[in-house]
Structures are given as structure tokens and as C-alpha cells.
Amino acid sequence: LVDAEIQYRNKSVIKHNNLIKKLCQKNEIEFIDILPYFNGREEELLFDHIHPNEDGKKIILYALEKHLY
């Protein structure tokens, strides 16, 4: 995947994250942003440039478990 394509997709994710974050704030729901864990590591953590591979899933679990306990 070309770097420009990754940047385009990241911009789209950021746009959607911001919308979801606003909705969460409005409804007093915690928003957990996992994008920073994946930025610059897309090739390593996503098996089809969208869905996380096993290492990506471990990172998501790590990010979420800090907020679950």
C-alpha cells in the first residue's frame, strides 16, 4: 500500500474518530482512541490494511483493558 493511500485512510479515520468522540462526549461515554497505536505501523498491524492482525488485536486489547478494570 502506498504511503499516500495510508495517509488518506488515516485522514478518514481521524474524521470519523472526531465525530464518534463528539457523540461520546455528548452522551457521557468514554472514547478510547486506538489510532495512535496504529499510526505508522499499518503494514505491521493490519492484515488487509483495514482489519487488525493478531499483533493488532493484542494492541487493541492492551488499549481497552486499561479502561475496563
Side-chain angles (χ1 to χ4, degrees):
L1 191 63
V2 180
D3 188 48
E5 290 178 59
I6 290 173
Q7 292 305 316
Y8 172 77
R9 289 181 186 196
N10 284 349
K11 286 181 183 179
S12 179
V13 171
I14 290 168
K15 177 182 172 184
H16 289 95
N17 269 5
N18 289 334
L19 175 62
I20 295 167
K21 189 182 294 185
K22 287 179 186 178
L23 290 171
C24 286
Q25 289 171 345
K26 180 180 177 182
N27 292 288
E28 298 180 6
I29 299 169
E30 183 176 11
F31 174 78
I32 303 168
D33 189 2
I34 61 169
L35 182 62
Y37 294 96
F38 286 82
N39 266 342
R41 300 177 68 193
E42 293 85 0
E43 295 290 331
E44 173 188 351
L45 300 173
L46 303 173
F47 73 84
D48 61 359
H49 309 291
I50 297 172
H51 298 96
N53 61 22
E54 289 305 311
D55 289 335
K57 290 176 186 176
K58 289 176 186 175
I59 287 175
I60 292 170
L61 178 61
Y62 169 78
L64 295 178
E65 73 182 354
K66 295 189 300 184
H67 299 274
L68 295 175
Y69 302 106

